[in-house]
Amino acid sequence: MAGSPSRAAGRRLQLPLLCLFLQGATAVLFAVFVRYNHKTDAALWHRGNHSNADNEFYFRYPSFQDVHAMVFVGFGFLMVFLQRYGFSSVGFTFLLAAFALQWSTLVQGFLHSFHSGHIHVGVESMINADFCAGAVLISFGAVLGKTGPAQLLLMALLEVVLFGINEFVLLHLLGVRDAGGSMTIHTFGAYFGLVLSRVLYRPQLEKSKHRQGSVYHSDLFAMIGTIFLWIFWPSFNSALTALGAGQHWTALNTYYSLAASTLGTFALSALVGEDGRLDMVHIQNAALAGGVVVGTSSEMMLTPFGALAAGFLAGTVSTLGYKFFTPILESKFKVQDTCGVHNLHGMPGVLGALLGVLVAGLATHEAYGDGLESVFPLIAEGQRSATSQAMLQLFGLFVTLMFASVGGGLGGLLLKLPFLDSPPDSQCYEDQVHWQVPGEHEDEAQRPLRVEEADTQA
């Protein structure tokens, strides 16, 4: 199962050498450029006679903890639905996120917080790095089971750079608002991964189709990821919004949107399901679409009713996507989307961006009061109208799709290099290609009997 001796020998060296090189290079760059910011540096903070209670750690760290749990537990377990790929789903999530948060600290630091020759880091930079890692893991979901760890690390190396540039263009050059990342995280990560999957298309993947399904316990474990993501998503969307009322209404909008998307998912899943039965794939994924669809507009005056309507729409669209569009995506467009990231992150991300266009266009001083300055500072200062803000929000969506598409294409070409350890078609979605799996070397007589074998011997 593990492949030929030459392939095993290459695997023995490829991943260790790449990990050592990337970690060594990152460590050198950290030593040269990365420093604590003034809220973290002991000498600088106390020099200003600040109270410890004023430190951003106490306001931002709880949200960071929630986001961190979503990245490492939520995303990891959401992808363990594949019956023989659980080690890889959780393990490679761990590997990719651990590398991406270091690399993104550097990339985002050079773009956002580079002063006097140094990158200054604090709790906000930790949250931003986790956001970037989330986008990488979304892309990972599109190629889950068809790529090796060395390929995935190279994907992350490229994607983090493009993520940082896209985010800088949208948030700083265009002044786009995207608190929960409908565009910068979900749309970018989804379409980067989908284009990547298209370039890596495997026409003979039918050889591994029998491993692509789930079993009872793998779907149950995947629901752990769903529940973690569902519970903590209000923190994800509000983690970096304005403290106080801004975070409050962002969390509320996300909370209600998730609840409505769950009801929409259950309704549509039973409606389109065989004999009116629910499909666990829909529940695991589409129920989360409410968090994605309000990512851009959650910090705006969406209103509780608007959050409910948006969430219900996202849940229904996502469920229909899993039922009807995923097969078309593979048969007509040659995109093999393992986790259905187009349905959970792609379409809801685009819908969320368009919702942001609508709500931004309706922004007024009457609706926001003094809060307008924290959400739309250029409108509050009279430098930009609500209509021009809405048009820039729309332009930001097109910029994101461009960066994601070009980046995914380049990433696909990079990952197709022949020396990279890609699993053969007949061994995709199989842990034993990359992991030591307990029991893989046992004799048949030592393995536990299956139920039907036990009944026969009895």
Side-chain angles (χ1 to χ4, degrees):
M1 180 63 70
S4 64
S6 60
R7 177 179 289 272
R11 187 179 303 123
R12 182 183 295 275
L13 293 176
Q14 195 173 93
L15 180 60
L17 290 176
L18 186 58
C19 285
L20 291 172
F21 171 76
L22 292 176
Q23 185 60 73
T26 303
V28 170
L29 291 171
F30 262 66
V32 174
F33 293 109
V34 179
R35 301 291 187 272
Y36 295 129
N37 67 14
H38 73 280
K39 296 178 182 178
T40 309
D41 188 287
L44 294 176
W45 178 255
H46 291 289
R47 189 181 303 164
N49 294 320
H50 299 292
S51 166
N52 286 333
D54 296 330
N55 197 293
E56 71 171 356
F57 175 87
Y58 297 101
F59 301 100
R60 299 290 187 193
Y61 192 74
S63 295
F64 163 74
Q65 286 181 304
D66 294 350
V67 173
H68 216 45
M70 289 178 69
V71 169
F72 285 90
V73 181
F75 279 106
F77 277 90
L78 184 65
M79 292 188 277
V80 301
F81 66 94
L82 294 172
Q83 56 183 305
R84 298 177 66 171
Y85 208 67
F87 282 16
S88 300
S89 297
V90 175
F92 293 160
T93 293
F94 199 8
L95 172 67
L96 282 180
F99 169 65
L101 65 87
Q102 297 178 69
W103 181 223
S104 61
T105 297
L106 291 165
V107 173
Q108 292 175 316
F110 282 122
L111 293 169
H112 302 298
S113 58
F114 191 67
H115 308 293
S116 303
H118 293 117
I119 296 168
H120 299 272
V121 298
V123 176
E124 285 194 19
S125 60
M126 293 163 63
I127 296 172
N128 278 318
D130 271 15
F131 281 171
C132 181
V136 172
L137 295 177
I138 291 168
S139 301
F140 172 40
V143 295
L144 184 71
K146 301 169 290 186
T147 45
Q151 290 177 299
L152 293 170
L153 283 172
L154 291 178
M155 178 195 79
L157 185 69
L158 172 65
E159 185 172 2
V160 166
V161 174
L162 293 173
F163 175 93
I165 296 172
N166 179 65
E167 183 186 54
F168 179 77
V169 171
L170 264 64
L171 304 187
H172 290 266
L173 298 185
L174 298 179
V176 167
R177 305 299 296 183
D178 191 34
S182 289
M183 289 182 280
T184 55
I185 300 172
H186 301 286
T187 300
F188 178 84
Y191 288 100
F192 184 100
L194 291 168
V195 174
L196 180 71
S197 181
R198 176 62 184 88
V199 177
L200 298 177
Y201 176 69
R202 291 170 176 256
Q204 303 299 320
L205 201 59
E206 291 290 335
K207 296 177 180 178
S208 291
K209 279 291 184 182
H210 61 287
R211 299 190 190 94
Q212 205 171 347
S214 61
V215 291
Y216 191 88
H217 69 270
S218 67
D219 270 334
L220 193 60
F221 276 117
M223 277 300 294
I224 295 174
T226 299
I227 298 301
F228 262 86
L229 291 168
W230 201 96
I231 291 173
F232 291 134
W233 215 298
S235 295
F236 188 92
N237 284 350
S238 65
L240 292 178
T241 53
L243 296 174
Q247 281 193 323
H248 198 165
W249 75 62
T250 302
L252 279 171
N253 287 335
T254 308
Y255 176 84
Y256 291 122
S257 182
L258 284 165
S261 69
T262 302
L263 270 292
T265 298
F266 272 85
L268 265 291
S269 182
L271 187 64
V272 302
E274 182 181 348
D275 300 325
R277 292 183 293 175
L278 298 167
D279 189 329
M280 185 57 91
V281 172
H282 303 161
I283 309 306
Q284 289 164 359
N285 296 278
L288 299 170
V292 178
V293 77
V294 296
T296 296
S297 59
S298 58
E299 68 169 340
M300 305 175 189
M301 287 286 99
L302 181 60
T303 76
F305 169 76
L308 287 174
F312 189 85
L313 174 64
T316 57
V317 168
S318 182
T319 304
L320 293 173
Y322 276 101
K323 179 65 177 180
F324 300 109
F325 195 63
T326 294
I328 296 174
L329 204 62
E330 180 168 353
S331 61
K332 302 297 183 183
F333 297 96
K334 310 301 181 186
V335 177
Q336 295 159 327
D337 181 9
T338 306
C339 288
V341 299
H342 184 251
N343 308 309
L344 172 53
H345 302 280
M347 291 191 294
V350 171
L351 285 174
L354 296 175
L355 181 62
V357 172
L358 174 64
V359 181
L362 298 175
T364 63
H365 286 274
E366 291 74 22
Y368 288 81
D370 293 337
L372 185 65
E373 186 173 358
S374 64
V375 181
F376 297 113
L378 296 179
I379 297 178
E381 295 166 7
Q383 299 180 32
R384 182 180 291 177
S385 68
T387 302
S388 61
Q389 178 69 43
M391 290 300 99
L392 285 169
Q393 295 282 144
L394 182 61
F395 183 62
L397 173 61
F398 291 118
V399 171
T400 297
L401 291 172
M402 181 196 69
F403 271 107
S405 301
V406 173
L410 292 174
L413 295 176
L414 175 65
L415 268 58
K416 289 183 74 173
L417 292 174
F419 63 86
L420 291 174
D421 184 33
S422 177
D425 292 337
S426 60
Q427 295 181 10
C428 289
Y429 316 114
E430 175 59 70
D431 271 334
Q432 289 187 14
V433 176
H434 299 288
W435 298 84
Q436 297 181 36
V437 178
E440 64 176 315
H441 299 302
E442 291 179 357
D443 293 333
E444 195 68 35
Q446 294 177 306
R447 294 177 182 171
L449 290 177
R450 296 193 301 269
V451 174
E452 59 270 23
E453 292 175 340
D455 291 342
T456 300
Q457 291 190 13

